[in-house]
Amino acid sequence: MFPSETSCWFIRKVIWWRAAASIAWSVLLLPPTTAVFVILSKFSFLHPIQTVSDCLSLLMSANSIFSFILLGGVVIMVGFLILEYYTVIPTIACSKIALLGQLLHPRQVVNSLAHGLMGMIVGWCCAVTVGHRYETLGYPARSSDGHPQMCLNEYHLVFLLAGAFVGFSHSLLGVIHNINYVYFHTVQQYKYLHFKGSLPLVVKCSAIQAFYSMRNFIVVYFFLGYIPKTWICKTLTLHLDSSVHPLDSIAGLLDLSLLYHLWISATFLLFTWYITLLLFRIFVTEVYSFPVKSTFTDDSHQCLPKVLTDNQPMILKFLALQDLALLSKHSPSRRSEVFSLSQPGGHPHNWNTVSKECLALLADLTQRLVAYHETVATNGRAKSLSSGSERKTSSETSATSGTEDLMSPRPTFLMKTPASIFARSVARGPHSPLTSPFTSDLDSPFASPALRRLTAPVDQCSPWHGSIQSPHIMRRGPQLWSTSTESHANGSPPPSPASVPSPKQEPAKPSFLAQFLQNRKEQVKNFMAKRVLIMYLFNKLPEASSQALFADSQAHIWALEALSYLVQASFTEDQFGVVQTTLPSILSSMLHLQEAVDRHFKLPHASSKPVRSTNSMEDFAFKTLRFALRATLKTSIYRITTTFGSHLNAVQMSGEHRKRLQQFLEFKE
């Protein structure tokens, strides 16, 4: 799965051991969790002492021990599924049809079925643990004519189906709410303190989600409960007891004791699974310290500069960037290794590799933001901005030329998702769904023909052909060939007829069959565009495109922090001046990214913050990453300007960037 040597070493010696430790702790927490469940399911206010004695005898019984073994197996299986499906970059669907495609993906269907089966096993364990009328699937009874027969215990069947329903819905909600998204917290805590602080949230989310799941299950069972009940009776040759109210009726579902035990069982199921997920997040995101320099050649692939250049697995990339950010902020001894020169030769290989990778990340995000802004402007979704940001300034050219010496041609920063959580190690090109979550609506079947004509490729014979093809500049196009008095006033001669390109022959007309198929295609698109359901599925969600664009911004935040702290420390710690050679490129990249981010936040829905919900295990950090990136970017530039001050006036950069940098020097930004 991970072909490179570094990835194999990291997965084998770090990730697997951390996942195994989290699963082991989840299994060790099963006995106290099961004891609490037994007490809550059998507690009686009238007989508290008898309740405690009954619970102790039940926990020591053979059925409870067997149920505990099954629960341990389920927890281990859940841990392995989390290890297989986790992601450090959330999967953000930009439309309803994209979300539906994620839910119906074959691998996700298998995952949902596995969770449904494990939920049924937990439901059986809960039914056996509660006992009494829930313990067995069948019980002996007598028919109306007095003959003995085995009747279906519908209470036990309801427990099994409720467990399967909760497990299946938990898997689907995991895709919708990105439950498997692993977020790196800004404030580092000890594992015990982190777990202790998150435990009340886990209990609250489990109880609330169990309540809504039971509500949905009761509605489904009320209308469709007869289907599994009839199938079980025919398969196992069981009969229905006519003296008992069926549970797929109003009278049967109004049993408060049944509803309480179902809710407690669902809460217990979700709590054990969420505890496993929480422990996995805590262990996997623990800080890992990579050596900056290796003493032995065999360990060179484990060094931080080498690890930073690896793009798979993404957890390795993120942990390396996290270590780099912490190194640059808190460790002077390790910073000196970054600034050191190689022996023999005297080359700053460590600094070159680190700065090159960080600048490549910033350049990649800048290109994506510029492409997104151009796409939105072309599609007419945003008004034209001011003339200062409308044209391509010279700062873009300087930032590109400044980073050419640091960025050799190589693949774009590879990410694990959000295009899909099911292709963990598939490399993506620069135009993958990750780098282009904002796919132009021109490719949509509902784009208008007029918009396509406006954005169609320009013929070489057209006066619009040339190096200037921006839609904003083209509005002033008639002045290019007009013979008004303005050109004579400027002293420029009128264009000569020889400079006008000669018209070429018109291309051959399409065949009748091609034209017929094109007309039918347009008719189908127009017909589908008028259907409300189709438009509801294909219309893009307001903030989804912006969230998908910044889904991997945690890596860029660490890159900005690492560069700014290293540049700040170099003012007093860089004895050889290795940072000064790349300072113009660093400042140009940051200022160029600052301009792109500012332009993005002027677009609709880009500056609106989502409402945070406290009733779900969903981590909302990815929805606010763009705000964190903007704050980190401004802080990083201020960190450099406050350290170097007026010395930055000697740094070579474009005039536009110098004006913007002056705003930071005067604290006016």
Side-chain angles (χ1 to χ4, degrees), residues 155-188:
Y155 292 99
H156 187 87
L157 177 63
V158 166
F159 261 80
L160 298 181
L161 295 178
F165 182 86
V166 173
F168 188 81
S169 60
H170 170 78
S171 177
L172 296 182
L173 290 176
V175 177
I176 297 174
H177 298 303
N178 284 288
I179 296 298
N180 291 327
Y181 167 57
V182 176
Y183 173 69
F184 293 80
H185 291 271
T186 305
V187 180
Q188 300 296 322

Side-chain angles (χ1 to χ4, degrees), residues 411-632:
T412 314
F413 184 33
L414 301 181
M415 290 297 180
K416 191 167 113 178
T417 42
S420 175
I421 60 173
F422 315 108
R424 298 184 52 173
S425 60
V426 179
R428 298 179 175 87
H431 301 287
S432 63
L434 171 66
T435 58
S436 302
F438 43 85
T439 306
S440 173
D441 285 347
L442 297 176
D443 300 331
S444 173
F446 311 113
S448 62
L451 182 60
R452 287 198 183 91
R453 288 195 298 270
L454 289 175
T455 56
V458 183
D459 188 12
Q460 294 183 357
C461 301
S462 174
W464 299 100
H465 179 74
S467 59
I468 302 177
Q469 296 182 6
S470 173
H472 308 290
I473 301 177
M474 284 170 62
R475 295 191 184 98
R476 305 191 302 269
Q479 297 179 3
L480 296 177
W481 57 79
S482 61
T483 57
S484 61
T485 58
E486 180 182 358
S487 60
H488 296 284
N490 296 336
S492 58
S496 59
S499 62
V500 180
S502 59
K504 297 182 180 179
Q505 296 181 356
E506 295 183 358
K509 294 183 179 180
S511 62
F512 174 78
L513 180 60
Q515 190 173 4
F516 174 80
L517 294 177
Q518 182 65 24
N519 294 336
R520 290 294 177 267
K521 182 179 179 181
E522 293 295 333
Q523 291 178 1
V524 171
K525 290 180 180 179
N526 294 333
F527 174 79
M528 300 294 286
K530 296 178 182 179
R531 305 276 115 20
V532 178
L533 179 60
I534 300 298
M535 294 300 297
Y536 171 77
L537 293 176
F538 281 89
N539 280 342
K540 289 189 176 182
L541 302 177
E543 297 183 10
S545 297
S546 182
Q547 293 175 6
L549 189 63
F550 291 90
D552 60 331
S553 291
Q554 183 60 64
H556 304 93
I557 292 174
W558 283 328
L560 286 169
E561 291 180 347
L563 284 177
S564 61
Y565 277 114
L566 288 174
V567 171
Q568 182 187 37
S570 69
F571 191 76
T572 56
E573 300 177 11
D574 185 10
Q575 300 177 1
F576 306 101
V578 297
V579 177
Q580 309 306 318
T581 59
T582 54
L583 185 57
S585 301
I586 294 174
L587 288 174
S588 298
S589 297
M590 288 186 177
L591 293 173
H592 194 192
L593 180 59
Q594 174 79 13
E595 180 183 355
V597 170
D598 289 344
R599 294 175 67 188
H600 179 80
F601 273 88
K602 294 179 181 179
L603 298 177
H605 304 290
S607 58
S608 58
K609 290 188 176 181
V611 180
R612 180 179 179 86
S613 175
T614 59
N615 300 331
S616 173
M617 285 293 290
E618 177 186 6
D619 202 324
F620 282 79
F622 69 90
K623 295 185 177 181
T624 58
L625 276 177
R626 60 185 185 272
F627 302 99
L629 175 73
R630 181 175 63 170
T632 304

